[in-house]
Each structure stands twice: as structure tokens, then as C-alpha cells.
Amino acid sequence: MDFDQEIIEALSQRLGFLKFFVFLVFFIIFVRLFYLQVVKGDYFFDLSENNRIKIQEIPAPRGVIYDRNGRVLANNTPSFDVSLLYSGIKQLNGILPLLSEILNLDQQEIIKKVKNSLYLPRFKPIKIKVDVNRKELSGIEFHKLDLPNVVVEFFPKRNYPLKEDLAHVLGYLGEINKSELSQPEYSSYTPGDFLGKSGIEKVFENSLRGRSGWLQFEVDSLGRKKGVLGSVDPVPGKDIFLTIDLGLQGFADQALGEKNGAVIAMDPNTGEILAFVSHPSFNPNLFSRGISSNDWSVLIKNPFHPLTNKGIQGLYPPGSLFKIVTAIAGLEEGKITPETKIFCNGSFRFGNRLYRCWKKGGHGTLNLFDAIEQSCDVYFYQVGHLVEVDSLAYYAKLFGLGNPTGLILENEKGGLVPTSKWKKKTFHIPWQKGETLSCAVGQGFYVTTPLQMLVLISTIANKGKLPTPSLVKKLEGERGILKDDIPQISISPESINIIRESLLRVVQGQNGTAKIARVVGIEIAGKTGTAQVVGLPPGEMRSELPSYLQDHAWFFAFAPFNNPKIAVVVLVEHGGFGSVAAAPIARDVIKYYIENKGL
């Protein structure tokens, strides 16, 4: 009896432990279920939904860029990318050989793309290859069941119908980089997005970009779409109308031909840019969905710098174009009158140096009208000496030289207007009077951009009103870009009229250096210029120099003389004489515009 009682008590004790153990197990299960279903219920619901429901971005079509007459300069074309859904990373090794074969990509390259994209949001597909061709696209679709979680995405691809023409104005697109992603203005962008990197595309990025939409859809276990659950339509970017005249742009581009340099045309009354050519150029279509390393290498190794906008970033001595500033300085300071006569025998000795005129035998006795018409260096050496460097700089700055013109494109250079104070600060030595002589004919330290010189000639055409160049006529939904009143510079009308009459004689006069620029029925006023790249020792001929050391050729002009409708500047790098290389181009551009516009 006692023995049985002991057994019963032992079994009861063990049963108590078993009950407690069973209770503990069920309690743990209950707590775990409570944690999973109540505390973390929303989290796991989201995970399950993410496995079942996918979200696909619908890119917004970028705004179209038009010329002033509504002709397309930049638009969008269909493009298709092959991407891998985040949930398919674990299956990557199983599909690598087939995916590599279809897309003609090395397997290690695909793996690298995936690894570099693991920081992307889970809903954003990992791009394997962008802008695939028809063969690759059909291959992906044919093997759809063998490539789970591999999707084809549609993207509007930026298209530039003009290709190289106008590339420096329009700019190009590029993939956003890590540095840009960290900037507040790009907070709404994600890795893989494209944005404007230069030109109008960059300046008006916010207007052109638009707002992406979203497509929410259900998928099966293989990642195949079963049905659309919801969507948000994308909002297209705003269209932009430029001041560019496409007909004139194409003609100016052809007129410059294979030469390196710039041709810019502007309405001097409004500052609206009508044509903007920079050579050599590049094809912005190369950047639309990511430029290849080979294409990029070709661009950056080109010795003529096709990515540089010569119109606003190229810095050149203004040469004889600057003589009209020297003339105005002499007139305004009372150092000369229009009838002041100076004798030119082909050179001018100052100190122990001989300053030569471009005409070896000299021009004889000239007044100011004659000196500008024939572009006599000796005349302006002596006027510059009378005026001195700081007065020259004062009048140069009145015309906007030494500062960017205010064009909306980024990275515009301001050039250099030297002063005695500038030289002392920069080189720690005083200004030498002989240096003023070089500056008076647009050499020495002076450097300008073609656009600055266009503003100068437009100010003369405009009888002293200094226009600000503009490229945008209006944005979609807006009435147009409001323009401030054009300021009048503080130069007497008499001096402006003297220069205008002199510039008319340069083209129309008997001895004008730009007689080649004459057009029957159109009065053109202008000025030739030849800017030295290097100085020459006595006895050496410029024709013997290599091409990259030849002089730059300049010409700027406006027409018609009494009612200017167009001003043009032409800069031909290493082109030699402005009268030969640059003036015919400006002449043809002016003739085309006036005749085609019925002016």
C-alpha cells in the first residue's frame, strides 16, 4: 500500500511537471502568435502584400523643346529596359546563362549591376540593360517563363533630331550621381533617374521633368502579372519655346561648315538669340540613356574640345573688333575728334619697340572714319596711348566686357578687362605704357567671348541700348518671358553715330576691309578682326606657323543699317584674316535671314 502510494505520488509529480511543460509550450506559442498577428501583424501583412503586389513606376514624358515657330528641337521616343525585380535576386544564378546570352552581356557584368543596386528601394527594379534593341526585347518575351522576375520596362528616351546642331544650347541628359542625390534640390530623385546635365535641359530641369506615375498590380508565384489594382497617371513636363529660329540655325551651322569656332545671331532690339552655333559639337543622343565609355573617351580626347560651348566659354583676344571701344574712349575723353588725323607708315615706334601695322606699307594719313574703315593699327596705337589703359577699361566695361552677359546657360565666362590695378595685384609689377598699345587693338591681356562681342555690336546697332541675350521665349501655359527695359549706356549719341557710320564704311566703303560682306539691297555695317595667337619675331611669316598657331578670324555686323533686325558675330579659330574667313559667313547668314523673313 505504501509502495503504491509512493508510485502514485511520483507519477502525480511527473504529471504536474508535464502539465506545466505543456502549458509553457502553449503559452509560448500563444505569445508568439500574439506577437506575430497583433504586434507585428501590419508588418507581415505588408511583406505578404509585397510578395503578391508589385508597384511599377510610370516615367513622365519630358517636356518638348521647340524653336520660336513651334518646330521640334528635342522630344521623346520609346525605349525599353530589361530589369530584375528585387524578389528575383535569389533566382539570379539560375537564370544568368540565358539572360547573359539574350542581352549579349557578360555574366559577371550582370552580377556587378545587381550588387551595385542593392541599396535601391525594394519596389524599384534593378536595371540590367537599358535601351535594348528589338532582337533582345523579343528574346526576353519569348523566354518569359524561363526568366521569372525579369521584366521589360518602358521609358521615354530623349531624342534630339538635330543631333550635333544646337547641342550646346539644348544640353543633354545623364544618370543622377551620388553627389547630386545628396543635394536638397534633387531630394525627389532616386538612383537610376536621368536629369539635365547641361544647357536648357539642366537650367529648366524642374519644368521639363514632369511627375512620374505608378502602376500597382498583382503577380502570381512566378512574378507574372495577374491584374492591375490601381494606377496614378504621370504628369508630363512642360514644353519650352526657345527664341531660336530653326531655319536660320541650320543655315548658320552649314555656313560655318567644318571650321572650328562660333556663329551667333541675335535680334539687337530684344536680345533674343536667333541662332547659336559652336563647332566642333557633339551628339546629345549619345547621352540619352547613358553614354558608353568608348564614346566618352572620344569626346574628352578630342583636341578641339567638342563639349566646350565656344560661344560663351571660348576666350579669345577681340583683335580689331575692339578698336571701336578705343575709338569711343578717345571721343568721349576728348582726346580725338572724327577729323583727328594720324599718319601711318606701317609701324609705330614706342620706346625701344616697333609696333607694326597689319598693312606693311602703311595707310598714309587717316582720320577716324578712315582708320576704322581700313582697320589701321597705327592709328589706334596712338589713340590708346592718349587714352591710357584704365580709361580703355572703363568704356570696355560699359559695353559689358569683363562680365558674363547674363545668358541663362551655365558656366558662361566673363573674359578679362585689364587695368593697372589688376596687373599690380596679379603680377606684383606696374603697368607698362607699351602694354596699352597692344590693348588698344584688342591684344595683350584682353580676352572676350563671341557672345560678349555680339552684345557690343548690338549695342552700337541699338544706338547705345545694351541688350541682355535671351534664349527662352515662353514656357507652356505662360504668356511669355517678360523682358526688362533695355538700359542705355552712358555714351553720347554723337560718338555712337560716328562709330555706326564708320562701321557702314567698313562694308560699303571704297577701302573697307569687309567689302566681301556686301549684299545688294541690304546695307550691312560691321568690323573685321584678326586676333593673334602668338607674337612673331621680326622677319618670320605667319603663313609658316602651324595651323594651331594661326590667327583667329573675327567679324561682327548688323543689318539693315537704318533699322537693324539682326546682329551676327563669327569667330573662326585659327582662320587667319577676318575679312577672308569670317565675313563671308556673317554675310550669308544676314542675307538668308532678311530675305527669308521678308525684311
Side-chain angles (χ1 to χ4, degrees):
M1 180 76 178
D2 293 336
F3 178 75
D4 293 339
Q5 185 66 34
E6 288 179 4
I7 293 175
I8 292 172
E9 289 178 357
L11 290 174
S12 296
Q13 188 176 13
R14 291 182 182 181
L15 185 61
F17 281 118
L18 180 62
K19 288 179 180 179
F20 177 77
F21 177 76
V22 171
F23 173 79
L24 181 63
V25 169
F26 276 98
F27 179 77
I28 292 173
I29 292 173
F30 174 78
V31 170
R32 183 61 178 167
L33 288 174
F34 180 83
Y35 175 78
L36 293 176
Q37 295 184 17
V38 179
V39 178
K40 299 288 287 184
D42 291 341
Y43 170 75
F44 286 105
F45 177 78
D46 289 340
L47 284 182
S48 64
E49 287 297 291
N50 285 337
N51 287 329
R52 183 178 70 87
I53 298 173
K54 304 297 181 184
I55 298 177
Q56 180 178 339
E57 181 182 3
I58 306 175
R62 199 168 176 85
V64 178
I65 303 177
Y66 298 96
D67 85 332
R68 65 189 301 117
N69 299 308
R71 290 173 287 192
V72 174
L73 303 177
N75 58 6
N76 306 292
T77 58
S79 172
F80 296 92
D81 299 348
V82 173
S83 302
L84 177 68
L85 296 177
Y86 199 94
S87 56
I89 292 178
K90 293 181 179 179
Q91 302 166 319
L92 180 61
N93 289 334
I95 63 173
L96 261 179
L98 179 59
L99 191 60
S100 171
E101 180 182 353
I102 294 174
L103 298 181
N104 194 28
L105 289 176
D106 183 82
Q107 293 186 27
Q108 292 303 314
E109 185 178 352
I110 296 176
I111 294 173
K112 182 179 178 182
K113 286 178 181 289
V114 172
K115 287 183 177 179
N116 291 340
S117 302
L118 292 180
Y119 61 90
L120 290 173
R122 295 177 66 91
F123 65 84
K124 196 172 182 67
I126 300 169
K127 293 191 184 300
I128 304 300
K129 187 171 185 179
V130 301
D131 198 21
V132 296
N133 57 40
R134 289 177 179 271
K135 181 180 178 181
E136 293 165 339
L137 182 62
S138 62
I140 293 294
E141 291 298 322
F142 183 80
H143 292 280
K144 195 170 185 177
L145 294 179
D146 301 318
L147 298 170
N149 288 305
V150 174
V151 296
V152 175
E153 299 179 285
F154 166 79
F155 276 85
K157 176 183 176 182
R158 202 55 162 169
N159 177 53
Y160 301 92
L162 304 182
K163 297 181 179 178
E164 288 83 1
D165 193 6
L166 208 61
H168 296 94
V169 170
L170 297 175
Y172 62 90
L173 302 186
E175 187 174 352
I176 192 167
N177 55 44
K178 290 184 179 180
S179 174
E180 290 165 333
L181 282 169
S182 65
Q183 299 174 21
E185 60 265 37
Y186 299 125
S187 59
S188 62
Y189 291 73
T190 58
D193 287 344
F194 279 70
L195 75 165
K197 293 285 189 174
S198 71
I200 294 294
E201 295 280 22
K202 181 175 183 179
V203 176
F204 289 92
E205 169 66 18
N206 289 337
S207 298
L208 288 166
R209 183 191 182 202
R211 188 170 67 248
S212 294
W214 298 91
L215 179 67
Q216 189 180 47
F217 57 93
E218 188 177 12
V219 297
D220 61 17
S221 60
L222 294 177
R224 295 174 298 191
K225 288 183 183 179
K226 293 178 62 179
V228 175
L229 301 178
S231 65
V232 175
D233 292 334
V235 178
K238 288 185 177 181
D239 297 338
I240 294 182
F241 291 80
L242 302 188
T243 60
I244 295 292
D245 183 299
L246 183 56
L248 183 65
Q249 174 71 26
F251 185 87
D253 186 73
Q254 292 180 6
L256 186 57
E258 298 300 318
K259 302 181 181 72
N260 294 328
V263 179
I264 314 175
M266 183 167 76
D267 183 338
N269 302 293
T270 64
E272 293 183 350
I273 302 293
L274 302 172
F276 199 121
V277 177
S278 176
H279 280 183
S281 187
F282 63 94
N283 187 346
N285 289 309
L286 295 174
F287 295 86
S288 291
R289 297 306 311 276
I291 188 169
S292 70
S293 57
N294 288 337
D295 288 335
W296 176 249
S297 178
V298 169
L299 286 176
I300 62 174
K301 290 181 180 179
N302 188 318
F304 301 110
H305 310 293
L307 294 175
T308 299
N309 186 337
K310 301 293 177 66
I312 62 172
Q313 296 171 332
L315 293 173
Y316 312 91
S320 293
L321 302 190
F322 190 79
K323 289 174 182 176
I324 64 177
V325 177
T326 304
I328 287 176
L331 291 168
E332 292 291 290
E333 294 296 312
K335 302 297 184 181
I336 60 170
T337 70
E339 299 305 324
T340 297
K341 294 184 178 181
I342 294 176
F343 179 74
C344 169
N345 64 358
S347 63
F348 174 64
R349 181 167 293 279
F350 187 82
N352 60 358
R353 180 178 171 184
L354 196 66
Y355 291 82
R356 290 177 286 187
C357 186
W358 70 266
K359 190 174 182 180
K360 191 173 181 179
H363 291 93
T365 302
L366 305 169
N367 62 22
L368 180 59
F369 291 106
D370 300 327
I372 293 178
E373 178 183 353
Q374 300 178 48
S375 197
C376 175
D377 294 323
V378 168
Y379 192 99
F380 290 99
Y381 289 147
Q382 299 192 49
V383 175
H385 176 60
L386 294 172
V387 172
E388 298 185 348
V389 62
D390 291 333
S391 288
L392 275 181
Y394 171 78
Y395 290 98
K397 289 178 179 179
L398 282 183
F399 285 98
L401 302 186
N403 292 294
T405 66
L407 192 70
I408 59 173
L409 298 183
E410 293 188 324
N411 302 317
E412 180 183 5
K413 303 292 186 183
L416 176 62
V417 172
T419 63
S420 56
K421 183 179 180 180
W422 166 83
K423 188 186 178 188
K424 185 71 175 177
K425 181 180 179 180
T426 305
F427 299 104
H428 309 292
I429 54 177
W431 186 268
Q432 302 298 314
K433 291 187 176 181
E435 293 173 318
T436 307
L437 274 62
S438 296
C439 288
V441 295
Q443 295 289 159
F445 295 109
Y446 270 95
V447 286
T448 61
T449 67
L451 185 60
Q452 287 176 321
M453 302 313 291
L454 180 59
V455 170
L456 194 160
I457 191 65
S458 295
T459 305
I460 299 297
N462 225 356
K463 297 184 178 179
K465 291 185 177 182
L466 184 72
T468 298
S470 62
L471 271 169
V472 177
K473 201 161 184 69
K474 68 174 181 177
L475 291 171
E476 179 188 4
E478 299 183 10
R479 299 182 64 180
I481 303 297
L482 296 177
K483 295 181 174 62
D484 297 329
D485 292 336
I486 300 178
Q488 182 81 32
I489 63 175
S490 55
I491 293 175
S492 67
E494 292 78 14
S495 294
I496 294 290
N497 287 333
I498 290 167
I499 299 302
R500 281 173 55 88
E501 188 63 37
S502 300
L503 294 177
L504 182 64
R505 290 175 57 171
V506 170
V507 180
Q508 310 299 333
Q510 182 68 25
N511 299 309
T513 57
K515 290 187 290 184
I516 194 172
R518 291 177 184 171
V519 175
V520 176
I522 304 174
E523 279 194 314
I524 298 175
K527 181 75 185 75
T528 56
T530 302
Q532 294 181 7
V533 176
V534 293
L536 283 179
E540 189 170 341
M541 300 294 291
R542 290 199 172 274
S543 58
E544 298 173 356
L545 291 173
S547 59
Y548 66 91
L549 294 178
Q550 293 291 332
D551 298 339
H552 299 312
W554 281 102
F555 185 70
F556 60 15
F558 64 89
F561 178 73
N562 290 320
N563 185 22
K565 296 296 183 183
I566 183 172
V568 178
V569 66
V570 177
L571 180 281
V572 179
E573 290 183 340
H574 311 295
F577 289 107
S579 58
V580 176
I585 296 173
R587 172 201 65 202
D588 293 345
V589 169
I590 290 173
K591 182 175 183 290
Y592 173 91
Y593 184 73
I594 290 180
E595 290 182 351
N596 280 272
K597 294 298 177 182
L599 301 175

